[in-house]
Amino acid sequence: MALRVDWPQFIPLITSESATAALLLSLRTSLTATALCVLVGVPMALVLARTSFRGQRLLRSLVLLPLVLPPVVGGIALLYTFGRRGLLGGSLSALGVEIAFTTTAVVLSQAFVALPFLVLSLEGALRTVGTRYEAVGATLGAGRWTVLRRITLPLVLPALVSGAVLSFARALGEFGATLTFAGSLQGTTRTLPLEVYLQRETDPDAAVALSFILVLVAVAVVGVAHRVRPLGDLAPRAASREAARP
Amino acid sequence: MALRVDWPQFIPLITSESATAALLLSLRTSLTATALCVLVGVPMALVLARTSFRGQRLLRSLVLLPLVLPPVVGGIALLYTFGRRGLLGGSLSALGVEIAFTTTAVVLSQAFVALPFLVLSLEGALRTVGTRYEAVGATLGAGRWTVLRRITLPLVLPALVSGAVLSFARALGEFGATLTFAGSLQGTTRTLPLEVYLQRETDPDAAVALSFILVLVAVAVVGVAHRVRPLGDLAPRAASREAARP
Amino acid sequence: MSLTFTATLADRGFDVAFDLAPGETLAVLGPNGAGKSTLLGLLAGLLAPTAGRAELDGTVLFDVGPDRRTLTEPRHRGVSLLAQEALLFPHLTALENVAFGPRSRGVDRGTARATALSWLDRVGAADLAGRRPGHLSGGQAQRVAVARALAADPSLLLLDEPLSALDVTVAPALRTLLRDVLVDRSAIIVTHDPLDAFLLADRVLILDGGTVVESGATASVLTRPVTAFGAHLAGLNLVPGVRTADGFASADGWTVPLTDTAPEDMSLAHSAPENSSLAHSAPEGASLALAVRPGLVTVSRSDTTTQGTACRAAEVDDVEHRGDLVRLHAGGLAADVAPSDVVALGIVPGSRLFLAFRHEDASIYPL
Amino acid sequence: MSLTFTATLADRGFDVAFDLAPGETLAVLGPNGAGKSTLLGLLAGLLAPTAGRAELDGTVLFDVGPDRRTLTEPRHRGVSLLAQEALLFPHLTALENVAFGPRSRGVDRGTARATALSWLDRVGAADLAGRRPGHLSGGQAQRVAVARALAADPSLLLLDEPLSALDVTVAPALRTLLRDVLVDRSAIIVTHDPLDAFLLADRVLILDGGTVVESGATASVLTRPVTAFGAHLAGLNLVPGVRTADGFASADGWTVPLTDTAPEDMSLAHSAPENSSLAHSAPEGASLALAVRPGLVTVSRSDTTTQGTACRAAEVDDVEHRGDLVRLHAGGLAADVAPSDVVALGIVPGSRLFLAFRHEDASIYPL
Amino acid sequence: GATSPDAAAGSEGNAIDGSITVFAAASLTAAFTDLAGQFEEAHPGAEVTLNFAGSSDLATQIGEGAPADVLASADTDTMGRVTDLLAADPVAVATNTLQLAVPADNPAGITSLADAARPGVRTVVCARQVPCGAAAAAVGESAGVDLTPVSEESSVTDVLGKVTSGEADAGLVYVTDVRSAGDAVRGIDVPEAARAPTTYPIAALAGSGDPATAQEFVDFAAGPSGQSVLRSAGFGAP
Ligand SMILES: Nc1ncnc2c1ncn2[C@@H]1O[C@H](COP(=O)(O)OP(=O)(O)OP(=O)(O)O)[C@@H](O)[C@H]1O
Ligand SMILES: Nc1ncnc2c1ncn2[C@@H]1O[C@H](COP(=O)(O)OP(=O)(O)OP(=O)(O)O)[C@@H](O)[C@H]1O
Ligand code: MOO
Ligand SMILES: [Mg+2]
Ligand SMILES: [Mg+2]
């Protein structure tokens, strides 16, 4: 892809007002969406991994939905929920809260598509870590909250971080739902992917150059996040960690 | 969303010739793409989790790329690579192999966006399982291949299955890259999401009904796959698995 | 802190009941897979019984039946468990692991660390305070786990083979530490070492196949074992038999007269003399057991039956070198002999020889 | 199958070298954290040394130095390791776990299963063949792991505390099994139990703090220990001292004359008589060690120094009940006394009393 | 100067029975689906495969060697990007004009373009980068109305979607879009828009494997049958 970037034009292109606005908006909204995912996703993952109830499978499928929905359909689903005439939107609207065409709508769209990544990473890790350490903590007198804070979460921290990174990446690239649900206005709702999409109408090469920034940001974030190493095998003695590799 | 489905019209709508063709094509291509992801993703995950080399971080970031790229840009990137004038496309074309705008292109687009899901699930699981059991296997005289087949893969089987399900779900929902790279030719490249997109132009309600099928298929697959339970804590004695829950 | 316990766990064939008086320590012994860890798991709340009820000093730990299902949360049980695997929290240092219990009880950070450090010191692991469990050896991890269980200061302390990975220089010190700690505390300790039972426990429970096969005061169970396993534990030979008109007779030919004058206490510590008189007054045909120490069984090439001695021919099954002694296994009995005798008698597995013990060296009691 | 081994592992302060003759079994003993598991890890290929070289019967296991780095893959080492944690493959049944080694050597399915079943049978776990490791008790898992290591039929067998979780009824049988298996095989066994060393090993290596502190033939190390740890293992009291004009003198006041007529062999099994003559001919000021068994140390209220007896006053540090004996620790020595004596003498920790042993009961040898 | 399709079919005597792929702008979806059906009826044996996407995507795909025989684009600029690849000059087959779409219940009470520019009214248009956005800007200018849209969408469909769902109070879309949306929206004519219609050109492509059928399809679209289909979908005469 780098081959198709028109390098002499690169700097002016990416420093253009619209590109900068889009990049900043994207970073801001993606970070907020990631935070939202963590807030909502951690309890969700805990419920999925640590409890069992009727309808749990359904809940898991629902959490996965945004992965399968073509993005535009996801946007439609959001509209039907949070839109002015939607399920919740009507009540919100009555309270004077308008979501459509605001930056909030962008964050919601991004969080909607990014949530499954966090929940899935975390649920998997919670299941793998198992409940043995939590049980030990409980027999030592720790309450649920203490066990969660001092045992469960630290144990799954690497998965939490990598889930958050995935969420961030997905939020950063989110396009269809934002387009459908939030609209596209420079500085308010036109994120970098929307800017790319728009540029593509007139100049596909410019679009590729802009995507390149997106990719760079994502690569940087992923690179930083992968410094958070998992705790070996979570085993008391992991001599094998230094296993010889002839 | 179910609320918005026009139930009386549902049956005729989804049994229409174009809808059936799209559904079958989608199932066929998504399954092929999932198989492709497994074939490519398993070695990739092994390389990421079990070796360390310069540039590994870069490789991991590259694998993640399709997550961040807005799908349309992904499609353009594929077109630039495999298109008739693309990097590889030129040579392939000379060999008489045309990829763009064929069902192969659909599979490629889907595999492109779905691969990260498989690789990430699997890499995480491989790291969590650790190398201790593999080391034991090696000291018992098993070769790399035997260790892989009889120890590593069975241990990460649940993660492999759930990664494959995620990939399948993502492939099933893939839309942007397919549209750009494979086009939207009925029976050849027009998958269900593209059919939804097209229906939306003329009949938004029909689009919602069609999305509903997509969702049902995905939910079914996810439901079935989650029967493959993880092997508890992977611990020799997991008394806590039956931990009391008052 | 009295404990009552009755529980069944169907899928492990577990069905056990016992009581423990306040401040008593119970040693649970038994072969592998007997259900010892299962017992602790049920008490700690890691396993839910199929049916049963346990109460610790008035608090119901669990109460499960066809019409009820109370399972108190582990943290409200006042029970702390040192499991068979150390299971130290991998993300915390040794010190933080030990401080976890005090911190959970609401002790402030500084005090908790001080407490933790003093426990680490008592198990001889103070120098490991800053290490993560991944960087500890097997025995080091085990010691830290012991410290963690003790620091939690529970009403009931459960220890599953706490001394198994420890080296010989530390094990006695830790045993002494446990004895100090257990003095005024209700505790249950699972062990394979009868010495631990002798030194630490007031009472002994022997499990096999998920059920109780022997129980009672430590001294009486270990000096008057009624099962082969109990005899093994006590380092005694156990010969089951019946009361005959003359005294004791076993199926494989041992006969020992029971007279009023037979000395009963063979200097086995804490033995209960009333048992032998009970054997004496047992009706003919009643089941009796005869116990004799391997060191008091003698070996010879010829029959040495005399007044006051029981003697039988047997084939040698196995010869074990035990430091400066050799232990022979023959005809169901073990005999400790000097290495020189082994050479003199030319003993190898398969040799036929005569085993003998003096009537007065055998302890006979009803089963 | 001879083995040479030299390796350092900087971050664990490990620096050990030893050789093993073909078919010999080596017991590795030492306190927790001494480096025993590290040694096995290096041999098995689970750890890479900072520097060093090991060769097994001509095959280089590793050869690491400033200018070279050969690390043979674990599977090409012909070494099978039973680690301190059982680490059974959780997704395979017990039988499949044991059959794994034979299968990996290319044995066909049916034969491998038959082999596995026979090994399971020999460790007393045949009835567990179809179970997954998650459904085994600690000791059951340990037995299956032993069977798995043995079934792999390696050139060099490494066993890390193979008997620690086993019950008393199984441990002796498994010890016998190991003795049979180890007879014609090179093996290294890590243990905390000197009995294992006595019964299973030809040679002993005692590690402490990552270095070798004693090594040699089992009998000589365990009857003539030169370190406190070795003495502990052997159940002996060890008193370090020097050669004086008269004989032996320790810093804390024990003196024993060395005369030509002094009996030298105190019936310690396999003791090497030449040692005592070596002590006798040692130059004045040379380091000597005196070993005496706790059972031969007597205790009294008054000084009993006589011709042929060494006696010293000491304060009782600790009193340990050991079955039908009581072990006192006083003045650096352990003494085994009868419970009745303890009562008669009114011994409690802190009592002052006199310890004595006969000159002829002490074994004196150069360090 | 389009020739009569019927004449062409008859006079040349060449059986038109090949398979062609037609790339058409998304806004032509309904009309071209109809048109292709009629074409196949008129030429038994002929087969038309349709590929709909945004005009710009279609141009990119053709530029990268997509197997297209005919391109029907929604504006002349886009057609201009593939001039080199055309078999013949493009022919204009339809025009479209912008209309103000409002939700069926018209909550903001809009009756003119000026109403849509009132503060507090949520108006949505296309971004300038896409044809309908350029057209919208032109309309606004010529009407002297300064539109302050809450969103500048990247396609007409997205604008229409906002209006149908009631998120927006008004949106500038094509007449054909208002028509296909049925009862969900109401169209309000904008006089200035009628003066600057958008033109839809169609052309056969040079790389076609069946130039005759391709050209025949172009001619068919420009001919009477094609024009009547397009007209009934709401398109204007070229
Ligand atoms: N993974 C590790 N990383 C760093 N140091 C370690 C690791 N494992 C063990 N050590 C340290 O290396 C030293 C030797 O450990 P090793 O496991 O070999 O002891 P050991 O002799 O087997 O002890 P034990 O009897 O307790 O099993 C110890 O000081 C220990 O703390
Ligand atoms: N997770 C489990 N699921 C089912 N059965 C189990 C499980 N763990 C243990 N068992 C079985 O339950 C029985 C009792 O096991 P338990 O762990 O209580 O034995 P134990 O007395 O602690 O033995 P050990 O001395 O070997 O530790 C055994 O037969 C064992 O195989
Ligand atoms: O018909 Mo278009 O190219 O989506 O404006
Ligand atoms: Mg157990
Ligand atoms: Mg060790």
Side-chain angles (χ1 to χ4, degrees), chain A residues 83-84 100 179-180 184 200, chain E residues 57 81 122 151-152 162 167:
Chain A
R84 227 193 235 181
L179 191 64
T180 313
S184 168
R200 179 188 119 270
Chain E
D57 280 335
R81 275 167 48 193
R122 305 210 290 193
S151 181
E152 297 173 346
K162 299 292 187 302
E167 289 312 304

Side-chain angles (χ1 to χ4, degrees), chain C residues 25-367:
Chain C
T25 297
L26 175 72
V28 181
L29 299 129
N32 292 136
K36 304 183 295 298
S37 300
T38 304
L39 173 68
L40 299 196
L42 287 165
L43 279 170
L46 304 184
L47 291 169
T50 315
R53 180 183 170 89
E55 218 174 277
L56 175 64
D57 207 27
T59 311
V60 173
L61 301 185
F62 57 81
D63 187 7
V64 177
D67 51 346
R68 60 202 190 282
R69 188 174 173 83
T70 309
L71 288 163
T72 304
E73 270 186 80
R75 67 170 178 127
H76 290 133
R77 294 190 176 201
V79 168
S80 135
L81 167 68
L82 167 59
Q84 206 163 353
E85 294 168 279
L87 287 180
L88 295 176
F89 303 128
H91 58 292
L92 301 180
T93 61
L95 185 71
E96 288 161 351
N97 262 283
V98 180
F100 187 91
R103 288 286 284 149
S104 296
R105 284 199 318 277
V107 171
D108 73 273
R109 197 185 189 77
T111 316
R113 291 177 72 91
T115 312
L117 204 55
S118 92
W119 280 111
L120 277 178
D121 194 37
R122 291 181 76 177
V123 299
D127 52 326
L128 306 174
R131 294 234 208 136
R132 289 276 174 92
H135 294 246
L136 296 176
S137 79
Q140 290 168 341
Q142 179 81 1
R143 288 192 227 172
V144 175
V146 170
R148 183 176 66 175
L150 295 178
D153 192 28
S155 315
L156 176 65
L157 182 63
L158 308 177
L159 303 169
D160 202 343
E161 305 189 25
L163 304 170
S164 65
L166 302 183
D167 67 58
V168 289
T169 56
V170 167
L174 218 55
R175 202 173 274 126
T176 309
L177 168 63
L178 285 179
R179 201 168 54 207
D180 292 351
V181 170
L182 297 183
V183 156
D184 50 354
R185 193 189 286 275
S186 300
I188 300 182
I189 178 166
V190 169
T191 176
H192 289 301
D193 186 349
L195 182 60
D196 288 341
F198 266 122
L199 293 179
L200 302 175
D202 304 298
R203 285 153 47 73
V204 168
L205 194 69
I206 299 185
L207 301 184
D208 196 1
T211 56
V212 177
V213 293
E214 281 198 61
S215 74
T218 307
S220 76
V221 170
L222 293 180
T223 54
R224 300 265 190 274
V226 293
T227 61
F229 188 86
H232 249 295
L233 284 179
L236 290 175
N237 286 306
L238 183 80
V239 183
V242 292
R243 179 75 162 109
T244 59
D246 298 336
F248 169 93
S250 79
D252 53 1
W254 292 105
T255 56
V256 177
L258 275 171
T259 59
D260 289 331
T261 56
E264 284 154 2
D265 191 320
M266 264 65 47
S267 96
L268 291 168
H270 316 283
S271 64
E274 64 274 23
N275 278 348
S276 277
S277 31
L278 283 176
H280 190 254
S281 56
E284 221 167 297
S287 289
L288 297 181
L290 175 152
V292 62
R293 336 188 113 263
L296 301 175
V297 176
T298 56
V299 168
S300 56
R301 273 276 166 220
S302 56
D303 195 332
T304 56
T305 313
T306 57
Q307 180 65 25
T309 307
C311 185
R312 254 196 68 223
E315 183 168 317
V316 176
D317 295 321
D318 191 20
V319 182
E320 249 185 281
H321 291 270
R322 291 206 151 187
D324 49 356
L325 276 177
V326 173
R327 173 164 287 187
L328 303 179
H329 296 274
L333 290 193
D336 288 341
V337 296
S340 51
D341 294 345
V342 175
V343 178
L345 296 170
I347 297 172
V348 291
S351 310
R352 278 194 68 81
L353 40 69
F354 287 85
L355 298 174
F357 55 84
R358 297 198 300 160
H359 292 161
E360 60 187 72
D361 287 344
S363 172
I364 297 169
Y365 47 93
L367 277 187

Side-chain angles (χ1 to χ4, degrees), chain D residues 94-96 98-100 102 111-121 147 151:
Chain D
L95 185 70
E96 288 161 351
V98 180
F100 187 90
T111 317
R113 290 176 74 92
T115 312
L117 204 55
S118 91
W119 279 111
L120 278 177
D121 194 37

Side-chain angles (χ1 to χ4, degrees), chain B residues 21-217:
Chain B
L23 178 61
L24 290 180
L25 180 68
S26 265
L27 289 177
R28 203 148 41 88
T29 52
S30 302
L31 284 174
T32 318
T34 307
L36 195 63
C37 284
V38 171
L39 277 178
V40 178
V42 170
M44 229 162 184
L46 283 168
V47 163
L48 286 177
R50 287 289 185 269
T51 63
S52 62
F53 52 89
R54 275 165 51 82
Q56 190 177 31
R57 192 170 291 177
L58 195 69
L59 177 64
R60 184 178 294 112
S61 298
L62 284 178
V63 171
L64 286 179
L65 264 194
L67 287 180
V68 250
L69 282 185
V72 176
V73 176
I76 296 179
L78 282 173
L79 205 51
Y80 283 177
T81 313
F82 292 104
R84 207 184 271 177
R85 302 187 183 168
L87 282 177
L88 294 177
S91 342
L92 287 175
S93 191
L95 293 171
V97 182
E98 295 282 355
I99 291 178
F101 307 102
T102 62
T103 306
T104 311
V106 177
V107 172
L108 270 183
S109 313
Q110 292 177 337
F112 175 74
V113 296
L115 187 60
F117 290 80
L118 192 107
V119 175
L120 289 173
S121 311
L122 206 56
E123 192 201 343
L126 283 169
R127 287 192 182 279
T128 313
V129 165
T131 56
R132 299 189 305 156
Y133 292 107
E134 293 170 10
V136 170
T139 70
L140 291 171
R144 273 158 199 265
W145 177 242
T146 309
V147 167
L148 181 67
R149 197 172 47 85
R150 295 211 46 213
I151 301 176
T152 315
L153 289 183
L155 283 176
V156 296
L157 188 65
L160 182 58
V161 170
S162 85
V165 168
L166 287 182
S167 297
F168 176 80
R170 183 66 186 84
L172 198 63
E174 159 43 38
F175 150 77
T178 311
L179 184 61
T180 314
F181 177 44
S184 167
L185 307 170
Q186 185 181 336
T188 314
T189 62
R190 190 179 300 156
T191 57
L192 201 48
L194 294 187
E195 178 73 22
V196 169
Y197 181 74
L198 215 55
Q199 287 290 346
R200 197 175 71 108
E201 290 282 338
T202 48
D203 183 356
D205 287 340
V208 171
L210 279 179
S211 313
F212 202 69
I213 306 180
L214 213 54
V215 169
L216 286 184
V217 172

